[in-house]
Amino acid sequence: MLGDLGTASLAVGLTCATLTALLWLRVALFAAPARPARLATGATLASAVAACGLLEAALLRHDFGVRFVAENGGRHVPLYYTVTSLWASLDGSLLLWLLVLGGYAALLARRRYPARLHAYAMVVVSTVTVFFFALSRFAANPFREINPVPANGPGPNPLLQQHPAMGVHPPLLYAGYIGLVVPFALALAAPLAGPEGRAWLRVTRPWALTSWVALTAGIGLGAWWSYAVLGWGGYWAWDPVENASLLPWLTATAFLHTALHQAVGRAGWNTALACASFVLVLLGTFLTRSGAVASVHAFTDSPLGPMLLGFVVLAVVASTVPAGRRTPGPARRGVPVLSRATAVLVNGVLLTTIAAVVLIGTIFPLLSGPLGAGRVSVGAGYYQRTAVPLAVVLLLVMGVVPALRDRTTAPRRLIVPGGAALATVAVVGLLSRPGLPALAAFGAAAFVLTGLAREAADRLRRPGRGLAGLVAHAGIALVAVGVAGSSAYGRDAEATLRTGDTLRVADVAVRLAGVDRHSDTGGMTVRVRLSLTDADGTTRTVAPSLRYHPARDTAVTVPAIDTGPLRDTYVTLLAVAADSGSATVRLAVNPLVGLIWAGGGLTASGGLLAAASAVRARRRPAERPDSRRPAPIAARPEAAT
C-alpha cells in the first residue's frame, strides 16, 4: 500500500514539475500571470514532501514489502537511525535531494524579482527538478516491492549508525549542493532577460551565501564524522567523494568574492563561476551515485551513471551557449593593479586553479582506463605537491586584501602582519622544524590573522562596515593552522599488547588493562580497557571497541578520543585475539585538531553574518511589489553586469 502511494507521489511530482517548467516558460515568453506557475511549484514541493513522508512511514512501520526498507531498515535499529536511513542509500537519498530542491524552488517562486529574470530562472530550476523526479521515478524508485517479504532487514550501513552527525551532515551538504542551482539558474536567465538581467548579481548574493554556509557546515561535519567514526585518525583523505564536495565550495567561494567586488567588471567571469559551481555539483552527484569511484562515502553501482553524465553534459552546454547573448553593460572604468578588486580577482583565479587541480586528480583515475593506461590511482602526495602550495599563496593574498582599503597606506599597513609572519616562521622553525609546507602555512596564517585583527579594530572604531568577511577569513586561517599542525606534529604507533603491556607515543602511554565482550540482538562488541597516562602523570581509562554487525557481515571500529585544549589522544582497537589475551592497538597524538573544528565553525558563522547582511540590504530600499518592473541598475559602471 505505502509502496503504491509512494510511486504515485513520484509520478504526480514528475507531472507537476513538467507543468511548472512550462508555466514559467509561458510567464517568461508572454508575460502571463505568475500565480498558476507558483501554484504548480507548490504542488511539486508537496509531491516531494509526500514521497519522503511515505518512505519514512514505511521505515518506521518496518514495512519490509518495500524493497528500500528491506535493504536498509531493521527492527533492531534505534529510532534516530531509522529516520536517518532515508538518506542512507541511493534511492532514498534522491528523495531528500528532491525535497530540498523543491523547497528552494518554492522559496524562489515567492520572490519579487524583475519579471523575466525571475521567470527564466524558474524555468531552469524546474527543468532540473523534472530531471531528478524522472531519475527517482524510473531509475531509482525506492518504493519498488519485494517478494517474498523478509521478516527483518539488515539496517543501514553500520558506519552510518556510529555518530549522530550523520543525521545532520547529509541534509546540510544537500542544502549547500542544491542551493547552488539558484545562482546557476539566475546566471543562465540573465542574458535571456535582456536589460532586466543586469540585476542578477544583486539578486543572487543571498542565495549563494546561504548555500555556501550550508556547504561549509556540511563539509566540516563530514570531516568530523570521518575523524570520529572511521578510526584512521584523520579527517581528510582526498577521497574522490570528499573532493566532490570541495570542488563546488571552491568555485562558489570564488564567485562570492568576485561578485561582491565585481571582479574588475568582468561579468563573464561571474557567470562562469556561478555555472561551474552547479556543474561541479552535478559531477559530484555522478561520482557519488554512479559507482564510478570506490569510496566509503559513495553508493554502490547503479544504473544512474549514464543519465547523470548526460545531464552534466547538458548543463555544460547550457552554461556556454547562452553566454554569447549577454546584454553588454556600460563601459568599464580602469581599475588600478594595486587595489582590493584586483587582489580579489587574483584570489578568485587561485581558487579556480585549486579546483582545477583537484578536479584533475579526482577524475584522472576514471579517464586513465579508457585511455589505455590502466586504472591509475592518485594519492595524497599529488594534492600535497599541487593544491597545498596554491592554498598557502591564497592565504597570503587573502591577508593583503584588508591593507588595500587605502592604497596610499597599504605598504605601511603590511609591515606589522609581515613582521608577525616572519617572526612566526623564525620561532616555529627554530623550535620544532615542522617542514616547509607547515612552516609556510603557519607564517601565512599569522600574516592573515594579524592583518584581520588590525582591520577589525579599525572597523569597530568607525562603525558602518560589517565584520562577516573578517570572521570567515579568520576561520579559514585557523583551519590552515590546524591542518598544518596536525599534519606536521602528529605521531602514531601500533602494537599488539598483552594484559599489562604498554604502548608509548611521544609523552603519552596506554597500558592494556583487560578485554570485554558483549553480545546483543544487533551483533557483538569487543571493547578493551586501556589506562591512558599523559605527560603530567594524569591517568584515566579509555575504551576503544570493535562492533561486529552480522546482518551486514561488517566490523566497525569505534575509536576512543581524549580531547585536550591543544591536542587529541586517539586510540583505535584494530584486532583482538580469539582467547582475549592480547589486542592490537593504534595510539596517535594529533595536535591542534581542535582548531579545524573551531575554524570551520567560525567560517560558517562569518557566512551566516554575510547572508543576514545581504538579506537586510535587499530589503532596505522601498519595496516595490510590482515584479514586472526591472530592478534599478547600480550607479557604478563596474557594478553593471
Side-chain angles (χ1 to χ4, degrees):
M1 179 63 177
L2 288 176
D4 293 336
L5 290 174
T7 299
S9 69
L10 292 177
V12 171
L14 177 59
T15 303
C16 290
T18 305
L19 180 62
T20 300
L22 294 174
L23 288 172
W24 280 113
L25 184 61
R26 177 170 169 261
V27 174
L29 294 177
F30 306 110
R35 180 174 173 78
R38 289 194 177 96
L39 291 175
T41 306
T44 304
L45 173 61
S47 300
V49 171
C52 288
L54 288 167
L55 190 57
E56 283 288 12
L59 286 166
L60 293 170
R61 293 177 56 183
H62 304 303
D63 186 351
F64 297 112
V66 176
R67 183 179 296 274
F68 182 87
V69 181
E71 294 174 351
N72 300 281
R75 301 184 189 279
H76 61 283
V77 180
L79 176 63
Y80 179 79
Y81 294 109
T82 296
V83 173
T84 61
S85 296
L86 177 71
W87 48 83
S89 188
L90 186 149
D91 297 354
S93 71
L94 279 178
L95 290 192
L96 178 62
W97 184 284
L98 282 171
L99 179 64
V100 178
L101 180 58
Y104 273 114
L107 287 173
L108 182 60
R110 293 174 60 86
R111 299 299 95 188
R112 293 295 188 268
Y113 297 138
R116 296 190 70 206
L117 175 67
H118 188 204
Y120 277 121
M122 285 303 306
V123 170
V124 176
V125 174
S126 300
T127 302
V128 174
T129 308
V130 169
F131 172 76
F132 280 99
F133 259 113
L135 205 63
S136 185
R137 170 63 182 86
F138 298 112
N141 185 354
F143 297 103
R144 290 172 297 171
E145 296 182 351
I146 187 172
N147 195 20
V149 178
N152 199 359
N157 186 327
L159 286 173
L160 306 182
Q161 303 180 53
Q162 299 300 319
H163 201 288
M166 287 311 297
V168 184
H169 161 57
L172 269 178
L173 203 60
Y174 282 25
Y177 262 156
I178 302 165
L180 292 173
V181 72
V182 178
F184 171 74
L186 288 165
L188 293 188
L192 301 174
E196 291 185 4
R198 293 177 184 169
W200 80 277
L201 277 181
R202 177 181 58 81
V203 169
T204 301
R205 183 166 172 74
W207 297 95
L209 276 167
T210 301
S211 303
W212 183 86
V213 168
L215 188 55
T216 301
I219 292 173
L221 277 175
W224 184 35
W225 171 80
S226 179
Y227 182 72
V229 170
L230 296 185
W232 63 296
Y235 41 81
W236 192 268
W238 297 105
D239 178 278
V241 178
E242 292 174 347
N243 293 350
S245 66
L246 178 64
L247 287 168
W249 185 89
L250 290 168
T251 52
T253 305
F255 170 71
L256 285 171
H257 286 76
T258 57
L260 176 64
H261 292 270
Q262 300 303 323
V264 199
R266 290 171 170 81
W269 177 245
N270 294 319
T271 302
L273 287 173
C275 292
S277 298
F278 188 65
V279 168
L280 289 171
V281 166
L282 295 176
L283 179 63
T285 306
F286 164 74
L287 292 173
T288 307
R289 289 169 170 77
S290 65
V293 297
S295 166
V296 69
H297 308 279
F299 298 106
T300 55
D301 292 345
S302 76
L304 305 185
M307 290 174 281
L308 284 168
L309 186 58
F311 198 64
V312 171
V313 173
L314 178 62
V316 171
V317 173
S319 301
T320 55
V321 172
R325 297 185 56 186
R326 174 168 294 280
T327 302
R332 305 182 183 101
R333 295 180 301 188
V335 177
V337 173
L338 188 63
S339 66
R340 298 188 74 178
T342 302
V344 169
L345 178 62
V346 171
N347 255 7
V349 171
L350 286 169
L351 284 164
T352 307
T353 304
I354 295 172
V357 166
V358 175
L359 178 62
I360 291 170
T362 303
I363 66 173
F364 185 76
L366 304 181
L367 301 177
S368 59
L371 292 176
R375 187 79 175 196
V376 178
S377 62
V378 176
Y382 163 79
Y383 300 101
Q384 292 167 358
R385 290 190 297 269
T386 54
V388 171
L390 288 170
V392 173
V393 176
L394 180 69
L395 271 177
L396 290 172
V397 177
M398 188 172 75
V400 171
V401 173
L404 295 177
R405 177 166 51 87
D406 184 351
R407 290 186 293 119
T408 60
T409 62
R412 187 169 68 251
R413 293 175 64 86
L414 290 173
I415 292 175
V416 174
L422 292 175
T424 300
V425 169
V427 172
V428 174
L430 289 173
L431 293 179
S432 62
R433 301 183 183 277
L436 183 58
L439 201 58
F442 289 143
F447 181 73
V448 171
L449 290 171
T450 307
L452 291 176
R454 179 167 183 173
E455 179 71 9
D458 289 348
R459 293 189 184 186
L460 290 173
R461 283 196 300 267
R462 289 178 287 181
R465 300 188 63 192
L467 299 176
L470 303 185
V471 171
H473 289 171
I476 294 293
L478 288 181
V479 170
V481 174
V483 170
S486 60
S487 301
Y489 300 124
R491 299 289 183 268
D492 66 88
E494 177 183 320
T496 299
L497 307 177
R498 301 193 67 82
T499 303
D501 288 350
T502 299
L503 173 63
R504 183 176 297 275
V505 172
D507 54 3
V508 178
V510 292
R511 181 176 58 84
L512 181 61
V515 178
D516 302 319
R517 296 177 183 268
H518 171 71
S519 297
D520 55 32
T521 56
M524 182 178 69
T525 301
V526 180
R527 181 178 288 106
V528 295
R529 287 174 281 111
L530 296 162
S531 178
L532 172 67
T533 305
D534 277 334
D536 59 2
T538 304
T539 301
R540 53 196 171 280
T541 299
V542 295
S545 62
L546 277 172
R547 172 78 174 171
Y548 177 69
H549 297 259
R552 293 277 184 180
D553 192 22
T554 300
V556 176
T557 298
V558 183
I561 306 173
D562 187 73
T563 301
L566 295 178
R567 68 182 185 183
D568 288 356
T569 302
Y570 194 102
V571 190
T572 309
L573 175 61
L574 302 178
V576 175
D579 62 357
S580 299
S582 64
T584 302
V585 175
R586 178 179 177 273
L587 171 64
V589 176
N590 300 328
L592 303 180
V593 172
L595 290 180
I596 299 175
W597 321 132
L602 205 59
T603 303
S605 298
L608 277 175
L609 290 173
S613 176
V615 171
R616 287 196 301 270
R618 184 175 61 82
R619 292 176 177 174
R620 194 171 297 130
E623 300 231 352
R624 296 180 179 179
D626 182 7
S627 63
R628 299 186 183 281
R629 296 187 62 179
I633 307 301
R636 293 182 296 118
E638 68 268 25
T641 55

